[in-house]
Coordinates of all heavy atoms in Angstrom, one line a residue:
Chain Z
A207 N 31.2 18.5 -8.0 CA 30.4 19.7 -7.4 C 29.0 19.7 -8.0 O 28.0 19.9 -7.2 CB 31.2 20.9 -7.6
F208 N 28.9 19.6 -9.3 CA 27.6 19.7 -9.9 C 26.7 18.5 -9.3 O 25.5 18.7 -9.1 CB 27.7 19.7 -11.4 CG 28.0 21.0 -12.0 CD1 28.8 21.9 -11.3 CD2 27.6 21.3 -13.3 CE1 29.1 23.1 -11.9 CE2 27.9 22.5 -13.8 CZ 28.6 23.4 -13.2
K209 N 27.3 17.3 -9.3 CA 26.6 16.2 -8.8 C 26.0 16.4 -7.4 O 24.8 16.2 -7.1 CB 27.4 14.9 -9.0 CG 26.6 13.7 -8.9 CD 26.8 12.8 -10.1 CE 26.7 13.4 -11.5 NZ 27.1 12.5 -12.6
A210 N 26.9 16.9 -6.6 CA 26.5 17.1 -5.2 C 25.4 18.2 -5.1 O 24.5 18.1 -4.3 CB 27.6 17.5 -4.3
Y211 N 25.5 19.2 -5.9 CA 24.6 20.3 -6.0 C 23.2 19.7 -6.4 O 22.2 20.1 -5.8 CB 25.1 21.4 -7.0 CG 24.1 22.5 -7.2 CD1 24.0 23.5 -6.3 CD2 23.4 22.5 -8.4 CE1 23.1 24.5 -6.5 CE2 22.5 23.6 -8.6 CZ 22.4 24.6 -7.7 OH 21.4 25.5 -7.9
F212 N 23.3 18.9 -7.4 CA 22.1 18.2 -7.8 C 21.3 17.5 -6.8 O 20.2 17.7 -6.6 CB 22.4 17.2 -9.0 CG 21.3 16.3 -9.4 CD1 20.1 16.8 -10.1 CD2 21.3 15.0 -9.0 CE1 19.1 15.9 -10.4 CE2 20.3 14.2 -9.4 CZ 19.2 14.6 -10.0
V213 N 22.1 16.7 -6.0 CA 21.4 16.0 -4.9 C 20.8 17.0 -3.8 O 19.7 16.8 -3.4 CB 22.5 15.1 -4.1 CG1 21.9 14.5 -2.9 CG2 23.0 14.0 -5.1
W214 N 21.6 18.0 -3.6 CA 21.1 19.0 -2.6 C 19.8 19.6 -3.1 O 18.8 19.6 -2.4 CB 22.2 20.0 -2.5 CG 22.0 21.2 -1.5 CD1 21.1 21.1 -0.4 CD2 22.5 22.4 -1.4 NE1 21.1 22.2 0.3 CE2 22.0 23.1 -0.3 CE3 23.4 23.1 -2.3 CZ2 22.4 24.4 0.0 CZ3 23.8 24.4 -2.0 CH2 23.3 25.0 -0.8
V215 N 19.8 20.2 -4.3 CA 18.6 20.8 -4.8 C 17.4 19.8 -4.9 O 16.3 20.1 -4.7 CB 18.9 21.5 -6.2 CG1 17.6 22.2 -6.7 CG2 20.0 22.6 -6.0
L216 N 17.8 18.6 -5.4 CA 16.8 17.6 -5.6 C 15.9 17.4 -4.2 O 14.7 17.4 -4.3 CB 17.4 16.3 -6.1 CG 16.3 15.2 -6.3 CD1 15.6 15.4 -7.5 CD2 17.1 13.9 -6.4
L217 N 16.7 17.3 -3.2 CA 16.1 17.0 -1.9 C 15.2 18.2 -1.5 O 14.1 18.0 -1.1 CB 17.2 16.8 -0.8 CG 17.9 15.4 -1.0 CD1 18.9 15.2 0.0 CD2 16.9 14.2 -0.9
I218 N 15.7 19.4 -1.7 CA 14.9 20.5 -1.4 C 13.6 20.6 -2.2 O 12.5 20.8 -1.7 CB 15.7 21.8 -1.7 CG1 16.9 21.9 -0.7 CG2 14.8 23.1 -1.5 CD1 17.8 23.2 -1.0
R219 N 13.8 20.3 -3.5 CA 12.6 20.3 -4.3 C 11.6 19.2 -4.0 O 10.4 19.5 -4.0 CB 13.0 20.2 -5.8 CG 13.7 21.5 -6.3 CD 13.8 21.4 -7.8 NE 12.5 21.1 -8.4 CZ 11.5 22.0 -8.7 NH1 11.8 23.3 -8.4 NH2 10.4 21.7 -9.2
M220 N 12.1 18.0 -3.7 CA 11.2 17.0 -3.3 C 10.4 17.3 -2.0 O 9.2 17.0 -1.9 CB 11.9 15.7 -3.1 CG 12.3 15.0 -4.4 SD 13.2 13.5 -4.4 CE 11.9 12.4 -3.8
R221 N 11.1 17.9 -1.1 CA 10.5 18.4 0.2 C 9.3 19.3 -0.3 O 8.2 19.2 0.3 CB 11.5 19.1 1.1 CG 11.1 19.2 2.4 CD 12.1 20.0 3.2 NE 13.5 19.4 3.3 CZ 13.7 18.5 4.3 NH1 12.8 18.2 5.2 NH2 14.8 17.9 4.4
G222 N 9.6 20.3 -1.1 CA 8.6 21.2 -1.6 C 7.4 20.5 -2.2 O 6.2 20.7 -1.8
E223 N 7.7 19.5 -3.0 CA 6.6 18.7 -3.7 C 5.8 18.0 -2.6 O 4.5 17.9 -2.7 CB 7.1 17.7 -4.6 CG 7.9 18.3 -5.8 CD 6.9 18.7 -6.9 OE1 5.8 18.3 -6.8 OE2 7.4 19.3 -7.9
I224 N 6.4 17.5 -1.6 CA 5.6 16.7 -0.6 C 4.7 17.7 0.1 O 3.5 17.4 0.4 CB 6.6 16.0 0.4 CG1 7.2 14.8 -0.3 CG2 5.8 15.5 1.6 CD1 8.3 14.1 0.4
N225 N 5.3 18.9 0.4 CA 4.4 19.9 1.2 C 3.2 20.2 0.3 O 2.1 20.4 0.8 CB 5.2 21.1 1.5 CG 6.2 20.8 2.7 OD1 5.8 20.0 3.4 ND2 7.2 21.6 2.8

Side-chain angles (χ1 to χ4, degrees):
Chain Z
F208 277 32
K209 198 121 315 169
Y211 175 78
F212 167 73
V213 173
W214 183 24
V215 179
L216 181 72
L217 291 178
I218 293 176
R219 288 192 52 85
M220 284 182 73
R221 198 185 291 275
E223 294 277 351
I224 289 173
N225 284 336

